[in-house]
Amino acid sequence: YFPVSRKFFFNIELSLIKANEDRGVGAFVPFILKNPRSVGSNSIRPARQRRRCGRSRQHQQKSAIMSESPQDSGAEMPLVAHLIELRTRLMHMIGATLLVFFALIAFRNDLYSQLAAPLRHLLPTGSSMIATDITSSFLAPFKLTFYLAFFVAVPYVLYQLWMFIAPALYKHEKRIAIPLLVSSVILFYVGIAFAYFVTLGPVLKFFVSVAPEHVSFMTDINAYLDFCIKFFLVFGFTFEIPVVVLLLI
């Protein structure tokens, strides 16, 4: 059987060579007939290797993208877990603010006297600050203490906010966000300090000097507190302009 089959394949080889010698493929036919396994193995293996190389490249690209991604797909949290995490962070923020508030509440009157010192030095003789509401003398120092407690706890509040947002950011975004966050807090405090120590006195002096002759300049303590809080916030956010400009660029 083997000699007959070999002769048969040899005749096919000769016929194919004669039929395809003008096409330039005659030299390839004997190789296939002499090596029939090359058709099923060597011609397929390069294709398989190319597929494997393509798959490995795609896997490497996906792994590189996932390394830069905020979270791995296996580490994704459901919505309820995000809400629980947000509640935990909010409780920490509120707890830190209340802790500072209760630590400062014993000095509420002294804190308000320190805030009102620039205005009290400018009042005419016989004038003083007044309380037009029954609860103003009680609530105004408490409001000031709460605002001051929040200003003191702002770094911790921003830290808790950062811990909640950071897992959703990319690595390059984290490298940019941390310096901006720290600089924004520092600039905000610098703006409030500049407003109190540099700007508040001249502004109050101007308002007292332009008062009409027959008007007694006696300011309500609650109105003065609201004015100071707005004044400080304006300067605090004004000092944030460099950070905003950097973000826009």
Side-chain angles (χ1 to χ4, degrees), residues 99-152:
L99 182 63
V100 179
F101 173 75
F102 286 117
L104 297 175
I105 197 171
F107 309 98
R108 60 186 183 278
N109 292 329
D110 297 333
L111 293 173
Y112 193 90
S113 299
Q114 186 67 28
L115 179 65
L119 179 61
R120 288 188 292 105
H121 295 312
L122 297 174
L123 291 176
T125 305
S127 298
S128 63
M129 300 183 69
I130 61 174
T132 58
D133 193 2
I134 298 176
T135 59
S136 294
S137 59
F138 175 77
L139 293 179
F142 273 92
K143 288 172 62 177
L144 175 61
T145 306
F146 179 77
Y147 291 144
L148 184 60
F150 181 75
F151 288 156
V152 172

Side-chain angles (χ1 to χ4, degrees), residues 30-50:
F31 176 77
I32 296 176
L33 294 176
K34 293 178 182 178
N35 301 280
R37 293 183 179 180
S38 63
V39 178
S41 61
N42 295 335
S43 62
I44 297 176
R45 285 179 183 176
R48 291 179 179 176
Q49 292 178 357
R50 287 194 296 270

Side-chain angles (χ1 to χ4, degrees), residues 163-184:
M163 293 300 294
F164 179 73
I165 298 176
L169 298 178
Y170 293 93
K171 291 182 179 180
H172 65 278
E173 292 175 344
K174 292 180 181 179
R175 289 193 295 266
I176 297 174
I178 292 176
L180 291 178
L181 185 64
V182 174
S183 60
S184 62

Side-chain angles (χ1 to χ4, degrees), residues 46-118:
R48 291 179 179 176
Q49 292 178 357
R50 287 194 296 270
R51 293 195 193 100
R52 291 175 182 176
C53 293
R55 292 175 183 175
S56 62
R57 291 174 184 174
Q58 292 178 358
H59 181 70
Q60 292 176 358
Q61 292 176 356
K62 289 180 180 179
S63 62
I65 295 173
M66 293 301 292
S67 64
E68 292 288 337
S69 63
Q71 285 184 345
D72 294 334
S73 59
E76 291 182 356
M77 298 170 59
L79 179 61
V80 177
H82 283 291
L83 294 177
I84 293 174
E85 180 70 15
L86 179 60
R87 183 190 64 181
T88 303
R89 299 299 176 185
L90 289 176
M91 293 298 293
H92 288 173
M93 297 176 191
I94 297 173
T97 304
L98 292 178
L99 182 63
V100 179
F101 173 75
F102 286 117
L104 297 175
I105 197 171
F107 309 98
R108 60 186 183 278
N109 292 329
D110 297 333
L111 293 173
Y112 193 90
S113 299
Q114 186 67 28
L115 179 65

Side-chain angles (χ1 to χ4, degrees), residues 223-241:
Y224 177 73
L225 176 61
D226 294 339
F227 169 78
C228 289
I229 294 299
K230 295 176 183 178
F231 190 75
F232 294 155
L233 289 178
V234 168
F235 274 84
F237 288 120
T238 302
F239 273 67
E240 299 290 334
I241 291 178

